[in-house]
Amino acid sequence: MDAKTVNDAVNLILNGYSLLSLLMAFVIGLGAGIAFILFFLKKEWRLFQNRRRPIMIFKSKDQNMGIAFNLLKDSDLFNIEEPTENFQDSVRLNNHCLVIIGYTKKMQGFKDIIDAAKSKSIPIVVYAKPGEIDPADMKILEGYAYHSICNLPLRLINDVFNILSTY
């Protein structure tokens, strides 16, 4: 074999290797891109489905949920029901995606609301002032894994959005 033939053979092998490397990189990139798009679409579909389901708000008689309720309602991102002071409305929890509790120490039926949400595996967000939750009520709340506690209207919107997009 002469040097030109060997040189041509080496170039052919290197070109084949380069083409194979390029093809493998393209396949891996395409696979990763498709996986990311599927993950993104799955997450967005979950959020879309949850946005259509109602959110029930329970509040204590002396809890002012006006600002928080208006922020949630005005965002047009969620299907919010009017706040109720009647804890017995917890029997209506059917297709709800989330329960928000405007908590004060004098709130009636806190355990009943938690139990109703727990029986249907509905996440709970407790909207309360810092340090206001009674220790006995905190023990009830800690018995349920799907809960969050917040005390600011903006944090409430953030918690609602995050829960609906992940749960």
Side-chain angles (χ1 to χ4, degrees), residues 50-159:
N50 280 337
R51 281 187 51 208
R52 294 181 7 193
R53 296 170 52 203
I55 296 173
M56 185 173 272
I57 300 177
F58 294 94
K59 69 181 200 104
S60 179
K61 289 183 174 130
D62 51 344
Q63 171 70 299
N64 183 5
M65 291 286 295
I67 294 171
F69 172 73
N70 288 336
L71 277 172
L72 288 169
K73 195 75 168 167
D74 292 345
S75 71
D76 286 333
L77 291 173
F78 315 110
N79 181 5
I80 307 290
E81 293 183 357
E82 288 291 324
T84 180
E85 294 176 2
N86 186 0
F87 70 90
Q88 294 169 337
D89 283 337
S90 62
V91 298
R92 294 188 309 116
L93 289 174
N94 292 325
N95 190 33
H96 291 79
C97 60
L98 183 66
V99 171
I100 298 173
I101 301 173
Y103 178 87
T104 60
K105 287 186 180 183
K106 299 175 187 174
M107 182 171 200
Q108 292 181 338
F110 182 74
K111 183 176 182 344
D112 295 329
I113 296 168
I114 300 293
D115 289 342
K118 190 189 281 189
S119 71
K120 304 219 178 186
S121 296
I122 300 172
I124 296 171
V125 175
V126 176
Y127 184 71
K129 293 178 182 168
E132 185 175 280
I133 300 177
D134 187 75
D137 289 339
M138 192 64 174
K139 282 203 178 285
I140 293 168
L141 191 58
E142 288 173 347
Y144 186 49
Y146 302 124
H147 78 275
S148 176
I149 300 171
C150 69
N151 58 1
L152 300 169
L154 191 56
R155 168 78 192 270
L156 179 64
I157 290 175
N158 186 37
D159 281 0

